[in-house]
Amino acid sequence: MADTGFIPKEKWKAFIEGLSTKAQVWVPCLEGDTVIFRPFSKERNLCFERPANSSPKSVIFPQSDTLFSFKFTKDPETPQKVEVELTENKDFPKTILFGARPCDARGFTVYDRPYTETDTPDPYYKGRREQTTIVTMACQTSWAGCFCTSVEGGPADKTGSDAMITEVEKGYFVEPITEKGKSLLQEPGVEDGSAYQGEARKEQDAVRAMVRKPFGDTVRPKVSKELFDKDEFWEEALAKCLSCGACTYLCPTCYCFNITDEHQTDKGERIRSWDGCMYYHFTLEASGHNPRPTKFQRYKNRVGHKFLFYPEKYNNVIACSGCGRCIRYCPVSVDISEIVSNLQEPGAEAPAQGGNDKKAGSASNG
Ligand code: SF4
Ligand code: SF4
């Protein structure tokens, strides 16, 4: 069997349709002006021309997830005695996340460390992760706000992907990365890709050169603890923030959640839902005390988690994949890359001025 594959353009849709007969396939779809991941069906308007507005994290970490349901039964003879019956929701279907971007796939590896690589893995995240094959599309250009190459990633970075697809002139070049990804080469319509490898590499290198470098030539910014601790810096940087939380919801590496029980009289469900550290109530304690009552303290924590605390805990890995979504879609244009540039250790490379790609200059182009 060949090591790589090739799908001619005219067979592309049939290839995805074929996958959908074997697994639940999530694809980026155009709905109005928005690109969003949805389960594949023939009626969907698939869109691979630009990254989805929201990351596909919900495929493995649903926005609202029923963990289990419960039912109370009282003993009619001794009403003090109550039996509780729990039914876990662990039916995870075989899934293919198709058309994620390299920054999205890297995002799942940020989840993996706290959610699976611990003594107490999260069974819901782990179960879905194991059942999911991540097929990534290498980016064909860079987009407003992107800075993946400044946080160890890139437009064809393979971290977290099971297979990578690169668009070439006549079709799509397929590179398997894991055993799961290799199975794509056996799908009907996939030809030997070896003749297209050179063209795919050239495409990938060309896009890499387009990506904006907000921290100069460094591939991993080092945040100064001294600068980070200055509250005046944060107050000024976050003066215009609305605390809307959009940055956390769209981010492929934000994983805060809340748990609630929804009751009816004798039964109910325990539900895990996304939450965000940009909300006032996220840290509000039952006593009324709130350790992060202001928006600047909350954003400071968000940046600190991604660029200081997570790297400290996990071998210097930065918990931001530079996807640029929080920059593109922040309603008041708070720019995390600009903020981190201003927090770099004194003596680090001076931040580069703006982007060098025609699509990377304005946050309205995303
Ligand atoms: S998206 Fe912008 S305005 Fe909304 S919470 Fe994030 S930084 Fe603040
Ligand atoms: S912090 Fe912003 S740029 Fe970084 S991964 Fe999250 S949304 Fe993307």
Side-chain angles (χ1 to χ4, degrees):
M1 190 176 69
D3 292 339
T4 56
F6 174 74
I7 307 160
K9 284 207 165 146
E10 60 278 12
K11 294 187 181 164
W12 177 239
K13 193 101 190 264
F15 168 73
I16 302 170
E17 267 179 48
L19 293 179
S20 73
T21 61
K22 297 169 189 163
Q24 185 182 71
V25 179
W26 288 73
V27 278
C29 301
L30 190 62
E31 294 186 2
D33 288 340
T34 303
V35 180
I36 189 159
F37 277 84
R38 299 284 191 210
F40 174 83
S41 74
K42 287 184 185 172
E43 295 72 41
R44 298 273 193 209
N45 187 8
L46 307 195
C47 180
F48 296 103
E49 284 75 44
R50 62 183 169 97
N53 293 53
S54 176
S55 83
K57 64 184 178 183
S58 61
V59 173
I60 299 180
F61 190 73
Q63 187 161 3
S64 181
D65 192 14
T66 299
L67 306 180
F68 57 81
S69 49
F70 49 85
K71 188 169 174 15
F72 302 110
T73 313
K74 273 193 173 224
D75 184 333
E77 302 303 319
T78 1
Q80 297 86 345
K81 267 195 183 170
V82 180
E83 269 194 19
V84 184
E85 188 187 318
L86 296 180
T87 312
E88 274 204 293
N89 184 13
K90 283 197 187 161
D91 185 16
F92 308 126
K94 195 171 167 210
T95 300
I96 298 175
L97 169 53
F98 193 91
R101 298 291 168 168
C103 50
D104 298 327
R106 178 175 275 265
F108 286 117
T109 66
V110 171
Y111 271 71
D112 289 345
R113 294 179 188 91
Y115 278 79
T116 67
E117 296 165 18
T118 93
D119 294 342
T120 49
D122 181 283
Y124 306 96
Y125 175 85
K126 191 165 184 276
R128 284 199 184 83
R129 182 78 162 103
E130 285 169 357
Q131 286 290 82
T132 303
T133 302
I134 300 178
V135 182
T136 305
M137 296 282 293
C139 289
Q140 304 101 311
T141 185
S142 76
W143 298 92
C146 295
F147 58 99
C148 55
T149 55
S150 299
V151 281
E152 303 179 297
D157 169 37
K158 297 187 176 69
T159 309
S161 298
D162 292 301
M164 175 159 291
I165 293 182
T166 306
E167 187 174 354
V168 291
E169 193 188 345
K170 293 187 176 149
Y172 299 88
F173 175 69
V174 185
E175 285 172 273
I177 296 155
T178 64
E179 283 305 312
K180 276 194 215 168
K182 274 187 190 161
S183 63
L184 288 188
L185 299 182
Q186 288 157 359
E187 292 296 319
V190 180
E191 304 171 5
D192 182 350
S194 42
Y196 299 90
Q197 185 144 356
E199 189 186 345
R201 288 282 173 270
K202 260 195 205 157
E203 287 290 324
Q204 295 172 355
D205 291 347
V207 181
R208 188 173 174 89
M210 291 178 184
V211 181
R212 197 171 67 99
K213 292 181 174 177
F215 318 131
D217 283 335
T218 181
V219 292
R220 190 199 299 145
K222 183 147 176 46
V223 167
S224 153
K225 190 79 179 53
E226 197 185 326
L227 294 174
F228 180 82
D229 284 339
K230 288 193 171 149
D231 282 357
E232 317 84 70
F233 168 82
W234 294 100
E235 268 180 285
E236 196 183 323
L238 267 295
K240 57 189 177 180
C241 169
L242 307 171
S243 290
C244 69
C247 48
T248 61
Y249 273 36
L250 302 176
C251 176
T253 66
C254 277
Y255 50 68
C256 293
F257 63 81
N258 192 13
I259 290 195
T260 47
D261 284 354
E262 296 209 351
H263 277 265
Q264 292 169 23
T265 317
D266 61 345
K267 60 183 179 186
E269 290 180 333
R270 178 154 297 179
I271 297 173
R272 170 160 71 183
S273 309
W274 291 357
D275 205 341
C277 61
M278 288 307 293
Y279 297 127
Y280 174 83
H281 289 97
F282 184 68
T283 45
L284 181 62
E285 296 167 6
S287 65
H289 171 67
N290 193 335
R292 291 184 218 131
T294 65
K295 60 190 180 186
F296 89 77
Q297 288 167 315
R298 297 193 284 276
Y299 198 83
K300 179 180 174 182
N301 172 71
R302 180 164 193 267
V303 172
H305 178 254
K306 291 182 188 304
F307 289 88
L308 270 178
F309 319 141
Y310 189 101
E312 267 167 27
K313 188 166 166 65
Y314 297 113
N315 205 20
N316 278 331
V317 176
I318 288 177
C320 162
S321 59
C323 74
R325 288 187 180 96
C326 63
I327 302 171
R328 285 199 284 283
Y329 303 116
C330 171
V332 291
S333 304
V334 173
D335 181 340
I336 194 168
S337 66
E338 188 187 343
I339 288 173
V340 173
S341 283
N342 291 331
L343 288 172
Q344 277 198 98
E345 288 272 19
E349 296 89 339
Q353 291 303 305
N356 50 9
D357 165 52
K358 63 185 187 322
K359 290 188 175 163
S362 155
S364 64
N365 286 332

